[in-house]
C-alpha cells in the first residue's frame, strides 16, 4: 500500500506492517527485534486499556470515525532540531467521490510552498491510501507521481533507529480548535544515532485524520522532533491554488494544541549519529 508518511518517525516504530506511517520499524540497516517487541506490547496492551475505558464512559455501540466531507481541514506543525525552520502542513478536502477523497495538501516553511492534490481512499480497509497525485500550479493541475507525494511527506519525518521499550500508556484529552480529542498517549524509550531519547505519541481512534501528534525528546531536554495538530475545522470547500508565494509566511493562523508541547523547542540543536 501507499499510505501517508505523516508522523513517520512516530509510527515507524509502532507497527511491523502497513499502518498510519511508513511500513518499517526503523532504518533498514538497524536491528528490528526491540522495535518488534515494543510494538507487540502496545498492540496487546492498548486494546484492553481502551476497551476498559470505553466500557466505563462511552455508549455501548462502538462508532466509526466520522466521515470527512468537502471543506474539512487539518493543519499540523513540525518543529524541533531535526530541521532549521518549522513546517506547516495543511490538508483540506475539496471533493468526495464515494470512498475516495480529493485532498489539497500544502507544505509551507515560510519561504517556499509546495501544493499537491491527491486522491485518497477513505474506505475502512484502505483508509489513507494515496491513489494518485497532481501538482497544483497557478490554479491548474499537472501530473505528479506518488513518489512526489512521498518526498513531500518525508520532509516532515525524523527516522528513529531503535525502539528499546514501552514506558507506559495513559488516556489524555488534547484540546485543538475549540474541542477536545480523547487520545491514548504512549511513551517509548528510543535511540536516534547515539542519542537516547523518549518518544511520545498521541493517537485517537475517533479522529478521522489519523495521528494527533507526538514528539521525540533527548535525555537533556532537547526536542529533536515534534508533530502537533494545531488546527482543524470546516470551511467552504474550494479547489486551492498554491497558497503563498515564495517568501510569504504560512497563511494559516494555527491554534496550538494544549498537549504534546514541552518548554524548550530545541531549535538549532542536533543529535549524535
Amino acid at each position: 500500500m501507499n499510505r501517508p508518511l505523516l508522523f513517520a518517525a512516530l509510527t515507524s516504530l509502532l507497527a511491523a506492517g502497513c499502518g498510519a506511517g511508513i511500513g518499517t520499524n526503523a532504518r533498514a540497516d538497524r536491528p528490528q527485534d526491540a522495535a518488534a517487541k515494543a510494538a507487540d506490547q502496545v498492540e496487546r496492551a492498548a486494546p484492553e486499556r481502551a476497551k476498559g475505558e470505553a466500557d466505563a464512559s462511552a455508549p455501548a455501540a462502538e462508532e466509526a470515525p466520522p466521515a470527512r466531507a468537502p471543506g474539512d481541514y487539518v493543519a499540523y506543525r513540525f518543529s524541533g532540531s531535526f530541521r532549521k525552520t518549522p513546517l506547516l502542513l495543511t490538508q483540506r478536502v475539496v471533493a468526495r467521490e464515494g470512498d475516495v477523497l480529493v485532498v489539497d495538501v500544502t507544505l509551507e516553511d515560510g519561504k517556499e510552498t509546495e501544493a499537491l492534490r491527491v486522491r485518497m481512499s477513505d474506505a475502512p480497509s484502505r483508509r489513507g491510501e494515496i491513489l494518485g497525485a497532481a501538482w497544483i500550479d497557478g490554479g491548474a493541475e499537472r501530473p505528479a507521481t506518488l513518489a512526489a507525494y512521498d518526498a513531500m511527506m518525508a520532509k516532515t519525518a525524523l527516522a528513529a533507529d531503535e525502539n528499546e521499550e514501552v514506558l507506559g500508556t495513559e488516556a489524555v484529552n488534547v484540546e485543538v480548535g475549540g474541542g477536545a480529542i480523547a487520545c491514548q498517549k504512549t511513551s517509548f524509550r528510543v535511540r536516534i544515532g547515539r542519542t537516547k531519547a523518549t518518544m511520545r505519541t498521541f493517537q485517537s481512534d475517533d479522529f478521522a485524520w489519523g495521528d494527533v501528534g507526538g514528539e521525540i525528546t533527548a535525555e537533556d531536554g532537547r526536542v529533536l522532533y515534534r508533530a502537533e495538530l494545531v488546527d482543524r475545522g470546516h470551511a467552504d470547500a474550494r479547489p486551492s491554488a498554491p497558497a503563498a508565494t515564495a517568501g510569504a509566511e504560512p497563511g494559516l493562523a494555527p491554534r496550538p494544541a494544549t498537549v504534546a508541547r514541552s518548554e524548550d523547542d530545541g531549535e538549532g540543536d542536533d543529535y549524535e549519529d
Side-chain angles (χ1 to χ4, degrees), residues 129-243:
E129 182 177 348
I130 303 303
L131 307 175
W135 292 108
I136 305 174
D137 187 3
E141 295 183 26
R142 56 185 176 88
T145 64
L146 295 184
Y149 172 81
D150 290 347
M152 177 189 284
M153 294 297 100
K155 295 178 181 179
T156 69
L158 170 65
D161 292 288
E162 185 176 356
N163 186 342
E164 297 180 346
E165 66 174 315
V166 178
L167 299 176
T169 62
E170 62 177 305
V172 298
N173 288 324
V174 178
E175 295 283 343
V176 182
I181 303 175
C183 299
Q184 178 176 280
K185 173 185 174 183
T186 306
S187 300
F188 306 82
R189 180 176 290 113
V190 299
R191 182 176 55 78
I192 301 177
R194 290 179 292 176
T195 300
K196 294 183 177 181
T198 299
M199 179 173 71
R200 301 175 183 88
T201 66
F202 295 82
Q203 298 176 310
S204 174
D205 291 337
D206 298 326
F207 186 55
W209 292 92
D211 294 315
V212 176
E215 68 178 17
I216 303 176
T217 307
E219 288 184 325
D220 61 7
R222 289 175 297 137
V223 176
L224 306 178
Y225 177 90
R226 177 182 290 141
E228 303 169 89
L229 173 64
V230 294
D231 204 5
R232 60 171 177 155
H234 180 89
D236 291 338
R238 62 189 185 282
S240 66

Side-chain angles (χ1 to χ4, degrees), residues 15-28:
C18 190
I22 296 175
T24 180
N25 293 324
R27 292 177 183 169

